Coordinates of all heavy atoms in Angstrom, one line a residue:
M1 N 0.8 -1.2 0.0 CA 0.0 0.0 0.0 C 0.9 1.2 0.0 O 1.9 1.3 0.7 CB -0.9 0.0 1.2 CG -1.7 1.3 1.4 SD -2.7 1.3 2.9 CE -4.2 1.8 2.1
I2 N 0.5 2.2 -0.8 CA 1.2 3.5 -0.8 C 0.3 4.6 -0.2 O -0.8 4.7 -0.6 CB 1.6 3.9 -2.3 CG1 2.3 2.8 -3.0 CG2 2.4 5.2 -2.3 CD1 3.7 2.4 -2.4
I3 N 0.9 5.3 0.8 CA 0.1 6.4 1.4 C 0.9 7.6 1.3 O 2.2 7.6 1.5 CB -0.1 6.1 2.9 CG1 -0.9 4.8 3.1 CG2 -0.8 7.2 3.6 CD1 -1.0 4.3 4.5
A4 N 0.3 8.7 0.9 CA 0.9 10.0 0.8 C 0.2 10.9 1.9 O -1.0 10.9 2.0 CB 0.7 10.7 -0.5
V5 N 1.1 11.6 2.7 CA 0.6 12.5 3.7 C 1.0 13.9 3.3 O 2.2 14.1 3.2 CB 1.1 12.1 5.1 CG1 0.6 13.1 6.2 CG2 0.7 10.7 5.5
S6 N 0.1 14.8 3.0 CA 0.5 16.1 2.6 C 0.9 17.0 3.8 O 0.4 16.8 4.9 CB -0.6 16.8 1.8 OG -1.7 17.2 2.6
S7 N 1.7 18.0 3.5 CA 2.1 18.9 4.5 C 2.8 20.1 3.8 O 3.1 20.1 2.7 CB 3.0 18.3 5.5 OG 4.1 17.6 4.9
E8 N 3.0 21.2 4.6 CA 3.8 22.3 4.2 C 5.0 22.4 5.1 O 4.8 22.3 6.3 CB 3.0 23.6 4.2 CG 1.9 23.6 3.2 CD 1.1 24.9 3.2 OE1 1.7 26.0 3.5 OE2 0.0 25.0 2.8
F9 N 6.1 22.6 4.5 CA 7.3 22.6 5.3 C 7.9 24.0 5.5 O 9.1 24.2 5.7 CB 8.4 21.7 4.7 CG 8.0 20.3 4.8 CD1 7.2 19.7 3.8 CD2 8.4 19.5 5.9 CE1 6.9 18.4 3.9 CE2 8.0 18.2 5.9 CZ 7.2 17.6 4.9
G10 N 7.0 25.1 5.5 CA 7.4 26.4 5.8 C 8.0 27.2 4.6 O 8.3 28.4 4.8
D11 N 8.2 26.7 3.5 CA 8.7 27.4 2.4 C 7.7 27.7 1.3 O 8.0 28.0 0.2 CB 9.9 26.7 1.8 CG 9.6 25.3 1.3 OD1 8.5 24.9 1.4 OD2 10.5 24.6 0.9
D12 N 6.4 27.5 1.6 CA 5.3 27.7 0.8 C 5.2 26.8 -0.4 O 4.5 27.0 -1.4 CB 5.2 29.2 0.3 CG 4.9 30.1 1.4 OD1 4.2 29.7 2.3 OD2 5.4 31.3 1.4
I13 N 6.0 25.8 -0.5 CA 6.0 24.8 -1.5 C 5.2 23.6 -0.9 O 5.5 23.1 0.1 CB 7.4 24.3 -1.9 CG1 8.1 25.5 -2.5 CG2 7.3 23.2 -2.9 CD1 9.6 25.2 -2.8
R14 N 4.1 23.2 -1.6 CA 3.3 22.1 -1.2 C 4.1 20.8 -1.4 O 4.7 20.6 -2.4 CB 2.0 22.0 -2.0 CG 1.1 23.2 -1.8 CD 0.4 23.2 -0.4 NE -0.3 22.0 -0.2 CZ -0.7 21.7 1.1 NH1 -0.5 22.4 2.1 NH2 -1.4 20.6 1.2
K15 N 4.2 20.0 -0.3 CA 4.9 18.8 -0.4 C 4.1 17.7 0.2 O 3.1 18.0 0.9 CB 6.2 18.9 0.4 CG 7.1 20.0 -0.1 CD 8.4 20.0 0.6 CE 9.3 21.1 0.0 NZ 10.6 20.9 0.1
F16 N 4.5 16.5 0.0 CA 3.9 15.4 0.7 C 4.9 14.3 1.0 O 6.0 14.3 0.3 CB 2.6 14.8 0.0 CG 2.9 14.3 -1.4 CD1 3.3 13.0 -1.6 CD2 2.6 15.1 -2.5 CE1 3.5 12.5 -2.9 CE2 2.8 14.7 -3.8 CZ 3.2 13.4 -4.0
V17 N 4.7 13.5 2.0 CA 5.6 12.4 2.3 C 4.9 11.2 1.8 O 3.8 10.9 2.1 CB 5.9 12.4 3.8 CG1 6.9 11.3 4.1 CG2 6.5 13.7 4.3
Y18 N 5.7 10.4 1.0 CA 5.3 9.2 0.4 C 5.8 8.0 1.2 O 6.9 8.0 1.6 CB 5.9 9.3 -1.0 CG 6.0 8.0 -1.8 CD1 5.1 7.7 -2.7 CD2 7.1 7.1 -1.6 CE1 5.2 6.5 -3.5 CE2 7.2 6.0 -2.3 CZ 6.2 5.7 -3.3 OH 6.3 4.5 -4.0
F19 N 4.9 7.1 1.6 CA 5.2 6.0 2.4 C 4.8 4.7 1.6 O 3.7 4.6 1.2 CB 4.5 6.0 3.7 CG 4.8 7.1 4.6 CD1 4.1 8.3 4.6 CD2 5.9 7.0 5.5 CE1 4.3 9.3 5.5 CE2 6.2 8.1 6.4 CZ 5.4 9.2 6.4
R20 N 5.7 3.8 1.5 CA 5.3 2.4 1.0 C 5.2 1.5 2.2 O 6.2 1.3 3.0 CB 6.3 1.9 0.0 CG 5.9 0.6 -0.7 CD 6.7 0.3 -1.9 NE 8.1 0.1 -1.7 CZ 8.7 -1.0 -1.4 NH1 8.0 -2.1 -1.3 NH2 10.0 -1.1 -1.1
I21 N 4.1 0.9 2.4 CA 3.8 0.1 3.6 C 3.5 -1.3 3.1 O 2.8 -1.6 2.2 CB 2.5 0.6 4.3 CG1 2.5 2.1 4.5 CG2 2.2 -0.1 5.6 CD1 3.6 2.6 5.4
E22 N 4.1 -2.3 3.9 CA 3.7 -3.7 3.7 C 3.7 -4.3 5.1 O 4.6 -4.1 5.9 CB 4.8 -4.4 2.8 CG 4.6 -4.1 1.3 CD 5.6 -4.9 0.4 OE1 6.0 -5.9 0.8 OE2 5.9 -4.4 -0.7
G23 N 2.7 -5.1 5.3 CA 2.5 -5.8 6.6 C 2.5 -4.8 7.8 O 3.0 -5.2 8.8
G24 N 2.0 -3.6 7.6 CA 2.0 -2.6 8.6 C 3.3 -2.0 8.9 O 3.4 -1.2 9.9
K25 N 4.3 -2.2 8.1 CA 5.6 -1.6 8.3 C 6.0 -0.7 7.2 O 5.7 -1.0 6.0 CB 6.7 -2.7 8.5 CG 6.4 -3.6 9.7 CD 7.5 -4.6 9.8 CE 7.1 -5.6 10.9 NZ 8.0 -5.9 11.9
I26 N 6.7 0.4 7.5 CA 7.2 1.3 6.5 C 8.4 0.8 5.8 O 9.4 0.5 6.5 CB 7.5 2.7 7.1 CG1 6.3 3.3 7.8 CG2 8.1 3.6 6.1 CD1 6.6 4.5 8.7
L27 N 8.3 0.6 4.5 CA 9.5 0.1 3.7 C 10.2 1.2 3.0 O 11.4 1.0 2.7 CB 9.0 -1.0 2.7 CG 8.3 -2.2 3.3 CD1 8.0 -3.2 2.1 CD2 9.2 -2.9 4.3
E28 N 9.5 2.3 2.8 CA 10.1 3.4 2.1 C 9.4 4.7 2.5 O 8.2 4.7 2.7 CB 9.9 3.2 0.5 CG 10.5 4.3 -0.3 CD 10.3 4.0 -1.8 OE1 9.8 3.0 -2.2 OE2 10.7 4.9 -2.6
R29 N 10.2 5.7 2.6 CA 9.7 7.1 3.0 C 10.4 8.1 2.2 O 11.7 8.1 2.1 CB 9.9 7.3 4.5 CG 9.5 8.7 5.0 CD 10.0 9.0 6.4 NE 9.4 10.2 6.9 CZ 9.8 11.4 6.6 NH1 10.7 11.6 5.7 NH2 9.2 12.4 7.1
E30 N 9.7 9.0 1.5 CA 10.4 10.0 0.7 C 9.5 11.2 0.7 O 8.3 11.2 0.6 CB 10.5 9.4 -0.8 CG 11.1 10.4 -1.7 CD 11.2 9.9 -3.1 OE1 10.9 8.7 -3.3 OE2 11.6 10.6 -4.0
Q31 N 10.2 12.4 0.8 CA 9.5 13.7 0.7 C 9.5 14.1 -0.8 O 10.5 14.0 -1.4 CB 10.2 14.7 1.5 CG 9.6 16.1 1.5 CD 10.3 17.0 2.4 OE1 10.5 16.7 3.6 NE2 10.7 18.1 1.9
V32 N 8.3 14.5 -1.3 CA 8.1 14.8 -2.7 C 7.4 16.1 -2.8 O 6.4 16.4 -2.1 CB 7.2 13.7 -3.4 CG1 7.0 14.0 -4.8 CG2 7.9 12.3 -3.2
N33 N 7.9 17.0 -3.7 CA 7.2 18.2 -4.0 C 5.9 17.9 -4.8 O 6.0 17.1 -5.8 CB 8.1 19.2 -4.9 CG 9.2 19.8 -4.1 OD1 9.2 19.8 -2.9 ND2 10.2 20.2 -4.8
A34 N 4.8 18.5 -4.5 CA 3.6 18.4 -5.2 C 3.7 19.2 -6.5 O 4.3 20.3 -6.4 CB 2.4 18.8 -4.4
V35 N 3.2 18.8 -7.6 CA 3.2 19.6 -8.8 C 2.4 20.8 -8.6 O 1.4 20.8 -7.8 CB 2.6 18.8 -10.0 CG1 3.5 17.6 -10.4 CG2 1.2 18.3 -9.8
D36 N 2.8 21.9 -9.2 CA 2.1 23.2 -9.1 C 1.3 23.4 -10.4 O 1.9 23.8 -11.4 CB 3.1 24.3 -8.8 CG 2.4 25.6 -8.6 OD1 1.2 25.6 -8.2 OD2 3.1 26.7 -8.8
G37 N 0.1 23.1 -10.4 CA -0.7 23.2 -11.6 C -2.1 22.7 -11.5 O -2.6 22.6 -10.3
P38 N -2.8 22.4 -12.6 CA -4.2 22.0 -12.5 C -4.3 20.7 -11.6 O -3.4 19.9 -11.5 CB -4.5 21.7 -14.0 CG -3.5 22.5 -14.7 CD -2.3 22.5 -13.9
L39 N -5.5 20.6 -11.1 CA -5.8 19.4 -10.2 C -5.5 18.1 -10.9 O -5.1 17.2 -10.2 CB -7.3 19.5 -9.8 CG -7.7 20.8 -9.1 CD1 -9.2 20.8 -8.8 CD2 -6.9 20.9 -7.8
D40 N -5.8 18.0 -12.2 CA -5.6 16.7 -12.8 C -4.1 16.3 -12.8 O -3.7 15.2 -12.8 CB -6.2 16.7 -14.2 CG -5.6 17.7 -15.2 OD1 -5.1 18.8 -14.7 OD2 -5.7 17.5 -16.4
Q41 N -3.2 17.4 -12.8 CA -1.8 17.1 -12.7 C -1.4 16.5 -11.4 O -0.6 15.6 -11.3 CB -1.0 18.3 -13.0 CG -1.0 18.7 -14.4 CD -0.1 20.0 -14.7 OE1 0.5 20.5 -13.8 NE2 -0.1 20.4 -16.0
L42 N -2.0 17.0 -10.3 CA -1.7 16.4 -9.0 C -2.2 15.0 -8.9 O -1.5 14.1 -8.4 CB -2.4 17.2 -7.8 CG -2.3 16.6 -6.4 CD1 -0.8 16.5 -6.0 CD2 -3.1 17.5 -5.4
A43 N -3.4 14.7 -9.4 CA -4.0 13.4 -9.4 C -3.1 12.5 -10.3 O -2.8 11.3 -9.9 CB -5.4 13.4 -10.0
A44 N -2.6 13.0 -11.4 CA -1.7 12.2 -12.3 C -0.4 11.9 -11.5 O 0.2 10.8 -11.6 CB -1.4 12.9 -13.6
Q45 N 0.1 12.9 -10.8 CA 1.4 12.7 -10.1 C 1.2 11.6 -9.0 O 2.0 10.7 -8.9 CB 1.8 14.0 -9.4 CG 3.1 13.8 -8.6 CD 3.5 15.0 -7.8 OE1 2.7 15.9 -7.5 NE2 4.8 15.2 -7.5
L46 N 0.1 11.7 -8.3 CA -0.1 10.6 -7.2 C -0.4 9.3 -7.9 O 0.1 8.3 -7.3 CB -1.3 11.1 -6.4 CG -1.1 12.3 -5.5 CD1 -2.4 12.7 -4.8 CD2 0.0 12.1 -4.5
N47 N -1.0 9.2 -9.0 CA -1.2 8.0 -9.7 C 0.1 7.4 -10.2 O 0.4 6.2 -10.1 CB -2.1 8.2 -10.9 CG -3.6 7.8 -10.6 OD1 -3.8 7.0 -9.7 ND2 -4.5 8.3 -11.4
S48 N 1.0 8.3 -10.7 CA 2.3 7.8 -11.1 C 3.1 7.2 -10.0 O 4.0 6.3 -10.2 CB 3.1 8.9 -11.8 OG 3.6 9.9 -10.9
L49 N 2.9 7.7 -8.8 CA 3.6 7.1 -7.6 C 2.8 5.9 -7.0 O 3.2 5.4 -6.0 CB 3.7 8.2 -6.5 CG 4.6 9.4 -6.9 CD1 4.5 10.5 -5.8 CD2 6.1 8.9 -7.0
K50 N 1.7 5.6 -7.7 CA 0.8 4.5 -7.3 C 0.3 4.6 -5.9 O 0.1 3.7 -5.1 CB 1.6 3.1 -7.4 CG 2.0 2.9 -8.8 CD 2.6 1.5 -8.9 CE 3.2 1.1 -10.3 NZ 3.0 1.7 -11.5
V51 N -0.1 5.9 -5.5 CA -0.7 6.2 -4.2 C -2.1 5.6 -4.1 O -2.9 5.8 -5.0 CB -0.7 7.7 -4.0 CG1 -1.5 8.1 -2.7 CG2 0.8 8.3 -3.9
D52 N -2.3 4.9 -3.0 CA -3.6 4.3 -2.7 C -4.5 5.3 -1.9 O -5.7 5.3 -2.0 CB -3.5 3.0 -2.0 CG -2.7 2.0 -2.8 OD1 -3.2 1.6 -3.9 OD2 -1.6 1.6 -2.4
L53 N -3.8 6.0 -1.0 CA -4.5 6.9 0.0 C -3.7 8.2 0.2 O -2.5 8.1 0.3 CB -4.6 6.1 1.3 CG -5.1 6.9 2.5 CD1 -6.5 7.3 2.3 CD2 -4.9 6.1 3.8
L54 N -4.4 9.3 0.1 CA -3.9 10.6 0.5 C -4.5 11.0 1.8 O -5.7 11.1 1.9 CB -4.2 11.6 -0.6 CG -3.8 13.0 -0.3 CD1 -2.3 13.2 -0.1 CD2 -4.3 14.0 -1.4
I55 N -3.7 11.4 2.7 CA -4.1 12.0 4.0 C -3.7 13.4 3.9 O -2.5 13.7 3.8 CB -3.5 11.3 5.2 CG1 -3.9 9.8 5.2 CG2 -4.0 11.9 6.5 CD1 -3.2 8.9 6.3
T56 N -4.6 14.3 4.1 CA -4.3 15.7 3.9 C -5.2 16.6 4.8 O -6.1 16.1 5.5 CB -4.5 16.1 2.4 OG1 -4.1 17.5 2.2 CG2 -6.0 16.0 2.0
G57 N -4.9 17.9 4.8 CA -5.7 18.8 5.6 C -7.0 19.2 4.8 O -7.5 18.4 4.1
K58 N -7.3 20.4 4.9 CA -8.5 20.9 4.3 C -8.4 20.8 2.8 O -7.3 21.1 2.2 CB -8.7 22.4 4.7 CG -10.0 23.0 4.2 CD -10.2 24.4 4.7 CE -11.5 24.9 4.2 NZ -11.7 26.3 4.7
I59 N -9.4 20.4 2.1 CA -9.4 20.1 0.7 C -10.7 20.5 0.1 O -11.8 20.3 0.7 CB -9.0 18.7 0.4 CG1 -8.6 18.5 -1.1 CG2 -10.1 17.7 0.8 CD1 -7.9 17.1 -1.3
S60 N -10.7 21.1 -1.1 CA -11.9 21.5 -1.8 C -12.7 20.3 -2.4 O -12.1 19.3 -2.6 CB -11.6 22.5 -2.9 OG -11.0 21.9 -4.0
D61 N -13.9 20.5 -2.6 CA -14.7 19.5 -3.2 C -14.2 19.1 -4.6 O -14.2 18.0 -5.0 CB -16.2 19.9 -3.3 CG -16.9 19.9 -2.0 OD1 -16.4 19.3 -1.0 OD2 -17.9 20.6 -1.9
T62 N -13.7 20.1 -5.3 CA -13.2 19.9 -6.7 C -11.9 19.0 -6.6 O -11.8 18.1 -7.4 CB -12.8 21.3 -7.3 OG1 -13.9 22.1 -7.3 CG2 -12.3 21.1 -8.7
V63 N -11.0 19.3 -5.7 CA -9.8 18.4 -5.5 C -10.3 17.0 -5.1 O -9.8 16.0 -5.6 CB -8.8 19.0 -4.6 CG1 -7.7 18.1 -4.3 CG2 -8.3 20.4 -5.0
E64 N -11.2 16.9 -4.2 CA -11.7 15.6 -3.7 C -12.2 14.8 -4.9 O -11.9 13.6 -5.0 CB -12.7 15.8 -2.7 CG -13.2 14.5 -2.0 CD -14.1 14.7 -0.9 OE1 -14.2 15.8 -0.3 OE2 -14.8 13.8 -0.5
T65 N -13.0 15.5 -5.8 CA -13.6 14.8 -6.9 C -12.5 14.3 -7.9 O -12.6 13.2 -8.4 CB -14.6 15.7 -7.6 OG1 -15.6 16.1 -6.7 CG2 -15.2 15.1 -8.9
A66 N -11.5 15.2 -8.1 CA -10.4 14.8 -9.0 C -9.6 13.6 -8.5 O -9.3 12.7 -9.3 CB -9.5 16.0 -9.2
L67 N -9.4 13.6 -7.2 CA -8.7 12.4 -6.6 C -9.6 11.2 -6.7 O -9.1 10.1 -7.1 CB -8.3 12.7 -5.2 CG -7.3 13.8 -5.0 CD1 -7.2 14.2 -3.6 CD2 -5.9 13.4 -5.6
F68 N -10.9 11.3 -6.4 CA -11.8 10.2 -6.5 C -11.8 9.6 -7.9 O -11.7 8.4 -8.1 CB -13.2 10.6 -6.0 CG -14.2 9.5 -6.2 CD1 -14.3 8.4 -5.3 CD2 -15.1 9.5 -7.2 CE1 -15.2 7.4 -5.5 CE2 -16.0 8.5 -7.4 CZ -16.1 7.5 -6.5
E69 N -11.9 10.5 -8.9 CA -11.9 10.0 -10.3 C -10.6 9.4 -10.7 O -10.6 8.5 -11.6 CB -12.2 11.2 -11.2 CG -13.7 11.7 -11.1 CD -14.0 12.9 -11.9 OE1 -13.1 13.6 -12.5 OE2 -15.2 13.3 -11.9
A70 N -9.5 9.7 -10.0 CA -8.2 9.1 -10.3 C -8.1 7.8 -9.5 O -7.0 7.1 -9.6 CB -7.1 10.1 -10.0
G71 N -9.0 7.4 -8.7 CA -9.0 6.2 -8.0 C -8.2 6.3 -6.7 O -7.7 5.2 -6.2
I72 N -8.0 7.5 -6.2 CA -7.2 7.7 -5.0 C -8.1 7.9 -3.8 O -9.0 8.8 -3.8 CB -6.2 8.9 -5.1 CG1 -5.3 8.6 -6.3 CG2 -5.5 9.1 -3.8 CD1 -4.5 9.7 -6.8
N73 N -8.0 7.1 -2.7 CA -8.8 7.3 -1.5 C -8.3 8.5 -0.8 O -7.1 8.8 -0.9 CB -8.7 6.0 -0.6 CG -9.4 4.8 -1.3 OD1 -10.5 4.9 -1.7 ND2 -8.7 3.7 -1.4
L74 N -9.1 9.1 0.1 CA -8.8 10.3 0.7 C -9.3 10.4 2.1 O -10.4 9.9 2.4 CB -9.5 11.5 -0.1 CG -9.3 12.9 0.5 CD1 -7.9 13.4 0.4 CD2 -10.3 13.8 -0.3
I75 N -8.4 10.9 3.0 CA -8.8 11.3 4.4 C -8.4 12.7 4.5 O -7.2 13.0 4.3 CB -8.1 10.4 5.4 CG1 -8.5 8.9 5.3 CG2 -8.5 11.0 6.8 CD1 -7.7 8.0 6.3
S76 N -9.4 13.6 4.7 CA -9.1 15.0 4.8 C -9.4 15.6 6.1 O -10.0 14.9 7.0 CB -9.8 15.8 3.7 OG -11.2 15.7 3.9
G77 N -8.9 16.8 6.4 CA -9.1 17.5 7.7 C -8.1 17.1 8.7 O -8.3 17.3 9.9
I78 N -7.0 16.5 8.3 CA -5.9 16.0 9.2 C -4.7 17.0 9.1 O -4.2 17.2 8.0 CB -5.5 14.6 8.9 CG1 -6.7 13.7 8.9 CG2 -4.4 14.1 9.8 CD1 -7.4 13.5 10.2
R79 N -4.2 17.5 10.2 CA -3.0 18.3 10.2 C -2.1 17.8 11.2 O -2.5 17.2 12.2 CB -3.4 19.7 10.5 CG -4.3 20.4 9.5 CD -4.5 21.8 9.7 NE -3.1 22.4 9.5 CZ -2.9 23.7 9.5 NH1 -3.9 24.5 9.7 NH2 -1.7 24.2 9.2
G80 N -0.8 18.0 10.9 CA 0.2 17.5 11.9 C 1.4 17.0 11.2 O 1.6 17.1 10.0
E81 N 2.3 16.4 11.9 CA 3.6 15.9 11.4 C 3.3 14.5 10.7 O 2.6 13.7 11.3 CB 4.5 15.7 12.6 CG 6.0 15.5 12.2 CD 6.3 14.1 12.0 OE1 5.9 13.2 12.7 OE2 7.0 13.8 11.0
S82 N 3.8 14.4 9.5 CA 3.5 13.3 8.7 C 3.8 11.9 9.3 O 3.0 11.0 9.2 CB 4.1 13.4 7.3 OG 5.5 13.4 7.4
D83 N 4.9 11.7 10.0 CA 5.2 10.4 10.5 C 4.3 10.1 11.7 O 3.8 8.9 11.8 CB 6.7 10.4 11.0 CG 7.7 10.5 9.9 OD1 7.7 9.5 9.1 OD2 8.5 11.4 9.8
K84 N 3.9 11.1 12.5 CA 2.9 10.8 13.5 C 1.6 10.5 13.0 O 0.9 9.6 13.5 CB 2.9 12.0 14.5 CG 1.9 11.8 15.6 CD 2.0 12.8 16.7 CE 1.1 12.5 17.8 NZ 1.3 13.2 19.0
I85 N 1.1 11.2 11.9 CA -0.1 11.0 11.3 C -0.2 9.5 10.8 O -1.1 8.8 11.0 CB -0.4 12.0 10.2 CG1 -0.7 13.3 10.8 CG2 -1.6 11.5 9.3 CD1 -0.7 14.5 9.7
L86 N 0.9 9.1 10.1 CA 0.9 7.8 9.6 C 0.9 6.7 10.7 O 0.2 5.7 10.6 CB 2.2 7.6 8.7 CG 2.2 6.2 8.1 CD1 1.1 6.0 7.0 CD2 3.6 5.9 7.5
S87 N 1.7 7.0 11.7 CA 1.7 6.0 12.9 C 0.3 5.9 13.5 O -0.2 4.7 13.7 CB 2.6 6.5 13.9 OG 2.6 5.7 15.0
L88 N -0.4 7.0 13.6 CA -1.8 6.9 14.1 C -2.7 6.2 13.2 O -3.6 5.4 13.6 CB -2.3 8.3 14.4 CG -1.7 9.1 15.6 CD1 -2.1 10.6 15.6 CD2 -2.1 8.4 16.9
Y89 N -2.6 6.4 11.9 CA -3.4 5.7 10.9 C -3.1 4.2 11.0 O -4.1 3.4 11.0 CB -3.1 6.2 9.5 CG -3.8 5.5 8.4 CD1 -5.2 5.7 8.2 CD2 -3.2 4.5 7.7 CE1 -5.9 4.9 7.3 CE2 -3.9 3.7 6.7 CZ -5.2 4.0 6.5 OH -5.9 3.2 5.6
L90 N -1.9 3.8 11.0 CA -1.5 2.4 11.0 C -2.0 1.7 12.2 O -2.3 0.5 12.2 CB 0.0 2.2 10.8 CG 0.5 2.6 9.4 CD1 2.0 2.5 9.4 CD2 -0.1 1.8 8.3
S91 N -2.0 2.4 13.4 CA -2.5 1.8 14.6 C -4.0 1.8 14.8 O -4.5 1.3 15.7 CB -1.8 2.5 15.8 OG -2.3 3.8 15.9
G92 N -4.7 2.5 13.9 CA -6.1 2.6 14.0 C -6.6 3.7 14.9 O -7.7 3.8 15.2
D93 N -5.6 4.6 15.3 CA -6.0 5.7 16.3 C -6.1 7.0 15.6 O -6.3 8.0 16.4 CB -4.9 5.7 17.3 CG -4.9 4.5 18.2 OD1 -5.9 3.9 18.5 OD2 -3.7 4.0 18.6
L94 N -6.0 7.1 14.3 CA -6.2 8.4 13.6 C -7.7 8.8 13.7 O -8.5 8.0 13.2 CB -5.7 8.4 12.2 CG -5.8 9.7 11.4 CD1 -4.9 10.7 12.0 CD2 -5.5 9.5 10.0
Q95 N -8.0 10.0 14.3 CA -9.4 10.4 14.4 C -9.7 11.4 13.3 O -9.0 12.4 13.1 CB -9.6 11.0 15.7 CG -9.4 10.0 16.9 CD -9.7 10.6 18.2 OE1 -10.1 11.8 18.4 NE2 -9.5 9.8 19.2
F96 N -10.7 11.1 12.5 CA -11.1 12.0 11.4 C -12.6 11.9 11.2 O -13.3 11.2 11.8 CB -10.4 11.6 10.1 CG -10.5 10.1 9.7 CD1 -11.5 9.7 8.8 CD2 -9.7 9.2 10.2 CE1 -11.6 8.4 8.4 CE2 -9.8 7.8 9.8 CZ -10.7 7.5 8.9

């Protein structure tokens, strides 16, 4: 399973942390810049990374629809440090 957790790292560039998970364990972790462009480009980028789930903060209905149409599951309204968010998600303790 591939999970992306979006965040901002203080430089106004949208980024997300990409995690490859198997058997509940993190096998790969990489920080990736999100494309700056139309919504379909973000969905295409996440598809190219084979992301199954995006965990993010506030998101518009338009972005949610674009991700849904791209086959990417979404949990929105989540803010915080990406590793902690992922840990809470994997343990079943992420509240959304």
